[in-house]
Amino acid sequence: QVKVAESGGGLVQAGGSLRLSCAIDGGGFVISSVDWYRQAPGKQRELVATITKSDSKEYAESVRGRFTISADHAMNEVYLQMNNLALEDTARYSCLATRISGGMPVSYWGQGTQVTVSS
């Protein structure tokens, strides 16, 4: 079983920075990719950033240039460095870890961590 736990959220003023962490216990499985999602009240969940085991990275247009995703080599820790935070970045941020089983993706969610940006 893969376990995922996010941390690092909190209250920050607009223009500030936070670093979110996603701790992954792969249970012996190889994690192939990790996504950071966010969901604000009343809004659809949004894919924020993705990192793969080959260190390929992708970002949503809304965060490109402000957020940076990174991971250790084993994908046991995945980070989301968030700079120049804006009010619209307020959301619950969740981590999704994916492994491949029989050619099919199997994904695991964490509980999420709240990020609140104040003016």
Side-chain angles (χ1 to χ4, degrees), residues 10 26 29-30 34 46 49 64 66 69 81 89-90 94 96 98 101 106 113 118:
F29 296 113
V30 174
V34 175
E46 176 187 19
R64 190 172 291 121
R66 300 187 299 123
I69 191 169
Q81 177 67 42
D89 294 318
T90 294
S94 298
L96 180 70
T98 299
S101 176
V106 181
T113 185
S118 65

Side-chain angles (χ1 to χ4, degrees), residues 77-90:
E77 291 280 348
V78 177
Y79 306 100
L80 187 67
Q81 177 67 42
M82 306 186 296
N83 297 329
N84 193 21
L85 284 160
L87 297 179
E88 53 265 33
D89 294 318
T90 294

Side-chain angles (χ1 to χ4, degrees), residues 51-105:
I51 189 167
T52 67
K53 189 160 178 60
S54 61
D55 206 34
S56 174
K57 303 173 185 179
E58 294 183 357
Y59 299 93
E61 185 62 36
S62 58
V63 307
R64 190 172 291 121
R66 300 187 299 123
F67 290 12
T68 302
I69 191 169
S70 61
D72 67 4
H73 180 70
M75 302 279 270
N76 291 326
E77 291 280 348
V78 177
Y79 306 100
L80 187 67
Q81 177 67 42
M82 306 186 296
N83 297 329
N84 193 21
L85 284 160
L87 297 179
E88 53 265 33
D89 294 318
T90 294
R92 188 163 189 83
Y93 286 70
S94 298
C95 194
L96 180 70
T98 299
R99 65 178 178 92
I100 302 300
S101 176
M104 297 296 292

Side-chain angles (χ1 to χ4, degrees), residues 1-4 24-29 31 99 106-109:
Q1 183 72 358
V2 175
K3 298 179 182 178
V4 180
I24 301 169
D25 178 352
F29 296 113
I31 301 300
R99 65 178 178 92
V106 181
S107 297
Y108 304 84
W109 286 101

